[in-house]
Amino acid sequence: MPFRATILTLYPDMFPGPLGQSIAGRALANGLWSLDAVNIRDSATDRHRTVDDTPAGGGAGMVLRADVVASALDAVADDRPILAMTPRGAPLTQARVRTLAAGPGAVILCGRFEGFDERLFDARAIEQVSIGDYVLSGGEMGALVLLDACVRLVPGVMGAASSGDEESFESGLLEYPHYTRPYEWEGRTIPEVLRSGDHARIAAWRKRKAETDTRLRRPDLWERHSGARVQSPSGARHDDEG
Ligand code: SAH
Protein backbone atom coordinates (compact mmCIF):
# COMPACT_ATOMS: atom_id res chain seq x y z
CA MET A 1 0.00 0.00 0.00
CA PRO A 2 1.65 3.28 -1.06
CA PHE A 3 1.77 6.38 1.13
CA ARG A 4 -1.65 8.06 0.90
CA ALA A 5 -2.17 11.74 1.64
CA THR A 6 -5.59 13.31 1.99
CA ILE A 7 -5.70 17.08 2.39
CA LEU A 8 -8.72 18.88 3.79
CA THR A 9 -8.59 22.46 2.58
CA LEU A 10 -10.61 25.37 1.30
CA TYR A 11 -8.17 25.58 -1.62
CA PRO A 12 -7.88 22.11 -3.18
CA ASP A 13 -6.45 23.65 -6.35
CA MET A 14 -3.24 24.38 -4.45
CA PHE A 15 -2.49 20.62 -4.68
CA PRO A 16 -0.37 18.90 -5.81
CA GLY A 17 1.18 22.28 -6.77
CA PRO A 18 4.94 22.04 -6.29
CA LEU A 19 4.59 18.38 -5.29
CA GLY A 20 3.69 17.64 -8.91
CA GLN A 21 7.30 18.48 -9.90
CA SER A 22 10.70 16.87 -9.56
CA ILE A 23 11.20 13.92 -7.20
CA ALA A 24 7.76 14.07 -5.53
CA GLY A 25 6.00 14.63 -8.85
CA ARG A 26 7.71 11.69 -10.51
CA ALA A 27 6.86 9.46 -7.57
CA LEU A 28 3.26 10.68 -7.66
CA ALA A 29 3.01 9.86 -11.38
CA ASN A 30 4.55 6.45 -10.71
CA GLY A 31 2.05 5.65 -7.95
CA LEU A 32 4.60 5.53 -5.12
CA TRP A 33 2.32 7.86 -3.20
CA SER A 34 -1.11 9.37 -3.77
CA LEU A 35 -2.67 12.72 -3.05
CA ASP A 36 -6.31 13.63 -2.62
CA ALA A 37 -7.39 17.22 -1.93
CA VAL A 38 -10.88 17.53 -0.50
CA ASN A 39 -12.72 20.82 -0.20
CA ILE A 40 -13.91 21.41 3.37
CA ARG A 41 -16.67 23.57 1.92
CA ASP A 42 -18.30 20.47 0.44
CA SER A 43 -19.20 19.52 4.02
CA ALA A 44 -21.05 22.76 4.73
CA THR A 45 -24.76 22.24 5.18
CA ASP A 46 -26.35 25.64 4.67
CA ARG A 47 -27.34 27.32 1.45
CA HIS A 48 -24.31 29.62 1.52
CA ARG A 49 -21.92 26.75 2.18
CA THR A 50 -20.60 28.49 5.29
CA VAL A 51 -17.42 27.06 6.86
CA ASP A 52 -16.56 29.78 9.38
CA ASP A 53 -18.06 32.12 11.91
CA THR A 54 -17.00 35.00 14.14
CA PRO A 55 -14.78 34.25 17.18
CA ALA A 56 -16.57 33.66 20.45
CA GLY A 57 -15.52 36.41 22.85
CA GLY A 58 -14.99 38.85 20.00
CA GLY A 59 -11.91 39.93 18.13
CA ALA A 60 -10.74 40.04 14.56
CA GLY A 61 -11.13 37.40 11.87
CA MET A 62 -13.15 34.25 11.48
CA VAL A 63 -12.88 30.74 12.93
CA LEU A 64 -13.38 27.44 11.10
CA ARG A 65 -16.45 25.67 12.45
CA ALA A 66 -15.85 22.42 14.34
CA ASP A 67 -18.98 20.75 12.97
CA VAL A 68 -18.16 21.42 9.32
CA VAL A 69 -14.49 20.43 9.62
CA ALA A 70 -15.34 17.30 11.64
CA SER A 71 -17.82 16.10 9.07
CA ALA A 72 -15.24 16.63 6.29
CA LEU A 73 -12.74 14.70 8.41
CA ASP A 74 -15.06 11.84 9.33
CA ALA A 75 -15.79 11.25 5.66
CA VAL A 76 -12.13 10.46 4.90
CA ALA A 77 -10.66 9.25 8.21
CA ASP A 78 -9.29 5.69 8.36
CA ASP A 79 -6.22 4.16 9.97
CA ARG A 80 -3.98 7.07 8.99
CA PRO A 81 -2.79 9.68 11.50
CA ILE A 82 -4.71 12.96 11.34
CA LEU A 83 -2.57 16.09 11.44
CA ALA A 84 -3.79 19.67 11.72
CA MET A 85 -1.53 22.49 10.59
CA THR A 86 -1.38 25.18 13.28
CA PRO A 87 1.30 27.44 14.76
CA ARG A 88 0.07 26.18 18.14
CA GLY A 89 1.17 22.65 17.29
CA ALA A 90 4.32 20.69 18.07
CA PRO A 91 7.18 21.77 15.79
CA LEU A 92 7.67 19.28 12.96
CA THR A 93 10.88 17.28 13.23
CA GLN A 94 12.80 14.95 10.93
CA ALA A 95 12.09 12.14 13.40
CA ARG A 96 8.34 12.67 13.09
CA VAL A 97 8.65 12.93 9.30
CA ARG A 98 10.52 9.64 9.19
CA THR A 99 7.86 7.85 11.23
CA LEU A 100 5.07 9.30 9.10
CA ALA A 101 6.84 8.30 5.89
CA ALA A 102 7.08 4.71 7.12
CA GLY A 103 3.35 4.60 7.78
CA PRO A 104 0.21 4.43 5.64
CA GLY A 105 0.12 8.19 4.98
CA ALA A 106 -1.72 11.07 6.60
CA VAL A 107 -4.90 13.09 6.63
CA ILE A 108 -3.93 16.76 6.85
CA LEU A 109 -6.22 19.57 7.94
CA CYS A 110 -5.35 23.01 6.59
CA GLY A 111 -6.58 25.99 8.56
CA ARG A 112 -7.44 29.44 7.26
CA PHE A 113 -8.51 32.70 8.89
CA GLU A 114 -7.87 32.54 12.68
CA GLY A 115 -7.75 28.75 12.64
CA PHE A 116 -9.97 25.97 13.99
CA ASP A 117 -12.61 25.86 16.71
CA GLU A 118 -10.61 24.31 19.58
CA ARG A 119 -13.32 21.73 20.36
CA LEU A 120 -12.31 19.90 17.20
CA PHE A 121 -9.08 18.82 18.94
CA ASP A 122 -10.96 17.56 21.99
CA ALA A 123 -13.43 15.58 19.94
CA ARG A 124 -11.11 13.87 17.46
CA ALA A 125 -7.65 12.28 17.70
CA ILE A 126 -5.78 15.04 15.88
CA GLU A 127 -2.07 15.78 16.13
CA GLN A 128 -1.41 19.51 15.95
CA VAL A 129 1.68 20.31 13.91
CA SER A 130 3.57 23.54 13.32
CA ILE A 131 6.19 24.01 10.61
CA GLY A 132 7.93 26.81 12.50
CA ASP A 133 7.60 29.89 14.65
CA TYR A 134 6.03 32.19 12.09
CA VAL A 135 2.47 32.64 10.86
CA LEU A 136 1.30 31.57 7.42
CA SER A 137 -1.98 32.69 5.91
CA GLY A 138 -3.13 29.10 5.60
CA GLY A 139 -2.16 25.52 6.37
CA GLU A 140 -1.72 24.55 2.72
CA MET A 141 1.94 25.59 2.49
CA GLY A 142 2.55 23.76 5.74
CA ALA A 143 0.95 20.63 4.34
CA LEU A 144 3.11 20.90 1.22
CA VAL A 145 6.22 21.22 3.37
CA LEU A 146 5.26 18.26 5.53
CA LEU A 147 4.43 16.08 2.52
CA ASP A 148 7.58 17.04 0.65
CA ALA A 149 9.64 16.00 3.66
CA CYS A 150 7.73 12.71 3.97
CA VAL A 151 7.50 11.72 0.33
CA ARG A 152 11.24 11.86 -0.33
CA LEU A 153 11.64 9.20 2.39
CA VAL A 154 8.94 6.88 1.05
CA PRO A 155 10.66 3.69 -0.13
CA GLY A 156 11.54 3.84 -3.81
CA VAL A 157 11.12 7.61 -4.16
CA MET A 158 14.79 8.52 -3.91
CA GLY A 159 17.78 6.36 -4.69
CA ALA A 160 18.94 4.43 -1.64
CA ALA A 161 22.16 6.44 -1.54
CA SER A 162 20.51 9.84 -1.24
CA SER A 163 18.10 9.01 1.56
CA GLY A 164 21.07 8.32 3.76
CA ASP A 165 21.34 9.18 7.40
CA GLU A 166 24.12 11.73 6.95
CA GLU A 167 21.55 14.37 6.12
CA SER A 168 20.93 17.33 8.42
CA PHE A 169 18.97 16.43 11.59
CA GLU A 170 19.20 12.68 11.03
CA SER A 171 21.94 12.41 13.64
CA GLY A 172 20.78 15.45 15.60
CA LEU A 173 23.38 17.55 13.78
CA LEU A 174 23.46 19.75 10.69
CA GLU A 175 25.08 18.09 7.71
CA TYR A 176 28.66 18.97 6.72
CA PRO A 177 29.07 21.44 3.82
CA HIS A 178 29.32 20.33 0.20
CA TYR A 179 31.59 21.34 -2.70
CA THR A 180 31.80 20.47 -6.36
CA ARG A 181 33.73 21.48 -9.49
CA PRO A 182 35.24 23.79 -10.56
CA TYR A 183 38.12 23.25 -8.15
CA GLU A 184 38.88 26.96 -8.10
CA TRP A 185 36.13 29.59 -8.25
CA GLU A 186 36.70 33.32 -7.70
CA GLY A 187 40.02 32.46 -6.11
CA ARG A 188 38.47 30.00 -3.67
CA THR A 189 39.44 26.35 -3.68
CA ILE A 190 37.80 23.20 -2.37
CA PRO A 191 39.17 22.00 1.00
CA GLU A 192 42.24 19.89 0.22
CA VAL A 193 41.14 16.93 2.33
CA LEU A 194 38.14 16.36 0.03
CA ARG A 195 40.54 15.78 -2.87
CA SER A 196 42.80 13.46 -0.92
CA GLY A 197 40.92 10.26 -1.74
CA ASP A 198 41.54 9.24 1.89
CA HIS A 199 38.05 8.14 2.94
CA ALA A 200 38.83 7.92 6.63
CA ARG A 201 40.28 11.43 6.69
CA ILE A 202 37.32 12.75 4.70
CA ALA A 203 34.85 11.12 7.06
CA ALA A 204 36.67 12.58 10.07
CA TRP A 205 36.71 16.06 8.49
CA ARG A 206 33.00 15.87 7.69
CA LYS A 207 32.14 14.75 11.19
CA ARG A 208 34.18 17.60 12.68
CA LYS A 209 32.55 20.15 10.36
CA ALA A 210 29.06 18.86 11.17
CA GLU A 211 29.83 19.26 14.85
CA THR A 212 31.41 22.72 14.74
CA ASP A 213 28.80 24.10 12.33
CA THR A 214 25.99 22.78 14.52
CA ARG A 215 27.59 24.23 17.63
CA LEU A 216 28.01 27.66 16.03
CA ARG A 217 24.80 27.87 14.00
CA ARG A 218 22.36 25.90 16.09
CA PRO A 219 23.37 25.94 19.75
CA ASP A 220 19.90 24.55 20.53
CA LEU A 221 20.56 21.40 18.48
CA TRP A 222 24.09 21.12 19.80
CA GLU A 223 22.93 21.38 23.38
CA ARG A 224 20.49 18.49 22.87
CA HIS A 225 23.00 16.42 20.92
CA SER A 226 25.90 16.78 23.33
CA GLY A 227 23.54 16.57 26.31
CA ALA A 228 22.27 13.23 25.08
CA ARG A 229 25.80 11.92 24.58
CA VAL A 230 27.41 13.25 27.72
CA GLN A 231 25.35 12.08 30.66
CA SER A 232 26.85 10.96 33.90
CA PRO A 233 25.12 8.12 35.77
CA SER A 234 23.60 10.69 38.13
CA GLY A 235 22.03 12.42 35.16
CA ALA A 236 24.17 15.52 35.66
CA ARG A 237 25.65 16.96 32.50
CA HIS A 238 29.35 17.43 31.87
CA ASP A 239 30.32 20.82 30.54
CA ASP A 240 33.64 19.89 29.00
CA GLU A 241 32.16 18.87 25.63
CA GLY A 242 29.91 21.79 25.03
N1 SAH B 1 -4.60 32.77 14.67
C1 SAH B 1 -3.67 31.71 14.53
C2 SAH B 1 -2.97 31.74 13.17
C3 SAH B 1 -3.89 31.44 12.03
S1 SAH B 1 -3.04 31.42 10.51
C4 SAH B 1 -2.61 31.81 15.61
O1 SAH B 1 -2.19 32.94 15.91
O2 SAH B 1 -2.18 30.79 16.15
C5 SAH B 1 -4.14 30.51 9.50
C6 SAH B 1 -3.82 29.05 9.30
O3 SAH B 1 -2.54 28.95 8.71
C7 SAH B 1 -3.74 28.21 10.55
O4 SAH B 1 -5.00 27.74 10.95
C8 SAH B 1 -2.84 27.08 10.13
O5 SAH B 1 -3.55 26.06 9.45
C9 SAH B 1 -1.91 27.76 9.13
N2 SAH B 1 -0.61 28.10 9.73
C10 SAH B 1 -0.16 29.34 10.01
N3 SAH B 1 1.07 29.30 10.54
C11 SAH B 1 1.42 28.01 10.60
C12 SAH B 1 2.58 27.31 11.06
N4 SAH B 1 3.63 27.96 11.57
N5 SAH B 1 2.60 25.97 10.98
C13 SAH B 1 1.54 25.30 10.48
N6 SAH B 1 0.41 25.90 10.02
C14 SAH B 1 0.35 27.23 10.08
Side-chain angles (χ1 to χ4, degrees), residues 85-87 111-115 129-132 134-139:
M85 303 310 306
T86 161
R112 279 276 158 180
F113 322 122
E114 294 306 315
V129 176
S130 165
I131 64 156
Y134 39 79
V135 180
L136 307 169
S137 55

mmCIF file of all heavy atoms in Angstrom, residues 85-87 111-115 129-132 134-139, ligand 1:
data_model
loop_
_atom_site.group_PDB
_atom_site.id
_atom_site.type_symbol
_atom_site.label_atom_id
_atom_site.label_comp_id
_atom_site.label_asym_id
_atom_site.label_seq_id
_atom_site.Cartn_x
_atom_site.Cartn_y
_atom_site.Cartn_z
ATOM 1 N N MET A 85 -2.569 21.480 10.664
ATOM 2 C CA MET A 85 -1.530 22.491 10.590
ATOM 3 C C MET A 85 -1.943 23.678 11.452
ATOM 4 O O MET A 85 -3.006 24.261 11.241
ATOM 5 C CB MET A 85 -1.351 22.974 9.139
ATOM 6 C CG MET A 85 -1.029 21.890 8.123
ATOM 7 S SD MET A 85 0.324 20.804 8.598
ATOM 8 C CE MET A 85 1.605 21.988 8.914
ATOM 9 N N THR A 86 -1.111 24.011 12.421
ATOM 10 C CA THR A 86 -1.382 25.178 13.278
ATOM 11 C C THR A 86 -0.097 25.642 13.966
ATOM 12 O O THR A 86 0.699 24.805 14.410
ATOM 13 C CB THR A 86 -2.451 24.864 14.355
ATOM 14 O OG1 THR A 86 -2.362 25.840 15.410
ATOM 15 C CG2 THR A 86 -2.299 23.479 14.945
ATOM 16 N N PRO A 87 0.095 26.960 14.053
ATOM 17 C CA PRO A 87 1.299 27.436 14.758
ATOM 18 C C PRO A 87 1.283 27.069 16.239
ATOM 19 O O PRO A 87 2.314 27.160 16.902
ATOM 20 C CB PRO A 87 1.252 28.966 14.557
ATOM 21 C CG PRO A 87 -0.094 29.292 14.038
ATOM 22 C CD PRO A 87 -0.694 28.051 13.474
ATOM 23 N N GLY A 111 -5.788 24.894 8.037
ATOM 24 C CA GLY A 111 -6.584 25.992 8.559
ATOM 25 C C GLY A 111 -6.512 27.202 7.650
ATOM 26 O O GLY A 111 -5.660 27.291 6.762
ATOM 27 N N ARG A 112 -7.431 28.115 7.893
ATOM 28 C CA ARG A 112 -7.441 29.436 7.257
ATOM 29 C C ARG A 112 -7.981 30.401 8.289
ATOM 30 O O ARG A 112 -8.433 29.996 9.366
ATOM 31 C CB ARG A 112 -8.340 29.443 6.005
ATOM 32 C CG ARG A 112 -7.657 28.871 4.776
ATOM 33 C CD ARG A 112 -6.820 29.935 4.080
ATOM 34 N NE ARG A 112 -5.771 29.329 3.244
ATOM 35 C CZ ARG A 112 -4.905 30.057 2.524
ATOM 36 N NH1 ARG A 112 -4.965 31.375 2.535
ATOM 37 N NH2 ARG A 112 -3.965 29.460 1.825
ATOM 38 N N PHE A 113 -7.983 31.655 7.991
ATOM 39 C CA PHE A 113 -8.510 32.700 8.891
ATOM 40 C C PHE A 113 -7.767 32.631 10.233
ATOM 41 O O PHE A 113 -6.555 32.525 10.246
ATOM 42 C CB PHE A 113 -10.028 32.565 9.077
ATOM 43 C CG PHE A 113 -10.755 32.154 7.816
ATOM 44 C CD1 PHE A 113 -11.540 31.009 7.768
ATOM 45 C CD2 PHE A 113 -10.619 32.901 6.643
ATOM 46 C CE1 PHE A 113 -12.198 30.629 6.605
ATOM 47 C CE2 PHE A 113 -11.278 32.518 5.469
ATOM 48 C CZ PHE A 113 -12.058 31.383 5.455
ATOM 49 N N GLU A 114 -8.518 32.607 11.360
ATOM 50 C CA GLU A 114 -7.865 32.543 12.676
ATOM 51 C C GLU A 114 -7.570 31.107 13.095
ATOM 52 O O GLU A 114 -6.988 30.872 14.151
ATOM 53 C CB GLU A 114 -8.721 33.222 13.737
ATOM 54 C CG GLU A 114 -8.866 34.739 13.545
ATOM 55 C CD GLU A 114 -7.521 35.430 13.440
ATOM 56 O OE1 GLU A 114 -6.617 35.124 14.247
ATOM 57 O OE2 GLU A 114 -7.378 36.274 12.541
ATOM 58 N N GLY A 115 -8.010 30.151 12.295
ATOM 59 C CA GLY A 115 -7.754 28.753 12.644
ATOM 60 C C GLY A 115 -9.041 28.014 12.982
ATOM 61 O O GLY A 115 -10.129 28.418 12.575
ATOM 62 N N VAL A 129 0.312 20.193 14.417
ATOM 63 C CA VAL A 129 1.682 20.312 13.911
ATOM 64 C C VAL A 129 1.965 21.728 13.429
ATOM 65 O O VAL A 129 1.157 22.320 12.713
ATOM 66 C CB VAL A 129 1.899 19.342 12.726
ATOM 67 C CG1 VAL A 129 3.284 19.510 12.131
ATOM 68 C CG2 VAL A 129 1.680 17.904 13.166
ATOM 69 N N SER A 130 3.109 22.242 13.811
ATOM 70 C CA SER A 130 3.572 23.542 13.319
ATOM 71 C C SER A 130 4.807 23.334 12.449
ATOM 72 O O SER A 130 5.613 22.444 12.712
ATOM 73 C CB SER A 130 3.940 24.437 14.501
ATOM 74 O OG SER A 130 4.699 25.555 14.063
ATOM 75 N N ILE A 131 4.960 24.135 11.403
ATOM 76 C CA ILE A 131 6.192 24.006 10.612
ATOM 77 C C ILE A 131 7.207 25.073 11.007
ATOM 78 O O ILE A 131 8.279 25.165 10.399
ATOM 79 C CB ILE A 131 5.949 24.020 9.089
ATOM 80 C CG1 ILE A 131 5.379 25.347 8.617
ATOM 81 C CG2 ILE A 131 5.055 22.863 8.675
ATOM 82 C CD1 ILE A 131 5.680 25.608 7.141
ATOM 83 N N GLY A 132 6.929 25.861 12.026
ATOM 84 C CA GLY A 132 7.932 26.811 12.498
ATOM 85 C C GLY A 132 7.285 27.993 13.193
ATOM 86 O O GLY A 132 6.067 28.182 13.117
ATOM 87 N N TYR A 134 6.461 31.070 12.909
ATOM 88 C CA TYR A 134 6.034 32.195 12.089
ATOM 89 C C TYR A 134 4.616 31.872 11.664
ATOM 90 O O TYR A 134 4.183 30.730 11.782
ATOM 91 C CB TYR A 134 6.947 32.384 10.872
ATOM 92 C CG TYR A 134 7.370 31.082 10.260
ATOM 93 C CD1 TYR A 134 6.492 30.385 9.419
ATOM 94 C CD2 TYR A 134 8.607 30.511 10.562
ATOM 95 C CE1 TYR A 134 6.852 29.168 8.877
ATOM 96 C CE2 TYR A 134 8.963 29.281 10.028
ATOM 97 C CZ TYR A 134 8.091 28.624 9.193
ATOM 98 O OH TYR A 134 8.440 27.408 8.674
ATOM 99 N N VAL A 135 3.887 32.866 11.177
ATOM 100 C CA VAL A 135 2.475 32.643 10.860
ATOM 101 C C VAL A 135 2.242 32.701 9.357
ATOM 102 O O VAL A 135 2.582 33.693 8.700
ATOM 103 C CB VAL A 135 1.581 33.678 11.588
ATOM 104 C CG1 VAL A 135 0.113 33.443 11.249
ATOM 105 C CG2 VAL A 135 1.787 33.589 13.093
ATOM 106 N N LEU A 136 1.689 31.628 8.828
ATOM 107 C CA LEU A 136 1.298 31.565 7.418
ATOM 108 C C LEU A 136 -0.152 32.036 7.306
ATOM 109 O O LEU A 136 -0.862 32.113 8.292
ATOM 110 C CB LEU A 136 1.387 30.120 6.922
ATOM 111 C CG LEU A 136 2.707 29.384 7.133
ATOM 112 C CD1 LEU A 136 2.542 27.900 6.826
ATOM 113 C CD2 LEU A 136 3.792 30.002 6.267
ATOM 114 N N SER A 137 -0.587 32.289 6.075
ATOM 115 C CA SER A 137 -1.983 32.695 5.913
ATOM 116 C C SER A 137 -2.902 31.481 5.850
ATOM 117 O O SER A 137 -4.110 31.601 5.987
ATOM 118 C CB SER A 137 -2.148 33.564 4.669
ATOM 119 O OG SER A 137 -1.649 32.887 3.543
ATOM 120 N N GLY A 138 -2.323 30.303 5.643
ATOM 121 C CA GLY A 138 -3.132 29.095 5.599
ATOM 122 C C GLY A 138 -2.270 27.864 5.794
ATOM 123 O O GLY A 138 -1.041 27.922 5.659
ATOM 124 N N GLY A 139 -2.902 26.749 6.095
ATOM 125 C CA GLY A 139 -2.160 25.519 6.368
ATOM 126 C C GLY A 139 -1.651 24.815 5.122
ATOM 127 O O GLY A 139 -0.866 23.858 5.235
HETATM 128 N N1 SAH B 1 -4.605 32.770 14.666
HETATM 129 C C1 SAH B 1 -3.669 31.705 14.535
HETATM 130 C C2 SAH B 1 -2.972 31.745 13.166
HETATM 131 C C3 SAH B 1 -3.887 31.440 12.030
HETATM 132 S S1 SAH B 1 -3.037 31.425 10.510
HETATM 133 C C4 SAH B 1 -2.611 31.808 15.609
HETATM 134 O O1 SAH B 1 -2.188 32.940 15.912
HETATM 135 O O2 SAH B 1 -2.177 30.785 16.151
HETATM 136 C C5 SAH B 1 -4.140 30.510 9.501
HETATM 137 C C6 SAH B 1 -3.818 29.051 9.297
HETATM 138 O O3 SAH B 1 -2.539 28.950 8.712
HETATM 139 C C7 SAH B 1 -3.742 28.206 10.547
HETATM 140 O O4 SAH B 1 -5.001 27.741 10.947
HETATM 141 C C8 SAH B 1 -2.837 27.079 10.130
HETATM 142 O O5 SAH B 1 -3.551 26.065 9.451
HETATM 143 C C9 SAH B 1 -1.906 27.765 9.132
HETATM 144 N N2 SAH B 1 -0.615 28.097 9.730
HETATM 145 C C10 SAH B 1 -0.159 29.336 10.010
HETATM 146 N N3 SAH B 1 1.072 29.297 10.541
HETATM 147 C C11 SAH B 1 1.424 28.005 10.602
HETATM 148 C C12 SAH B 1 2.583 27.315 11.062
HETATM 149 N N4 SAH B 1 3.631 27.960 11.570
HETATM 150 N N5 SAH B 1 2.596 25.972 10.981
HETATM 151 C C13 SAH B 1 1.539 25.297 10.477
HETATM 152 N N6 SAH B 1 0.414 25.895 10.021
HETATM 153 C C14 SAH B 1 0.348 27.233 10.081
#
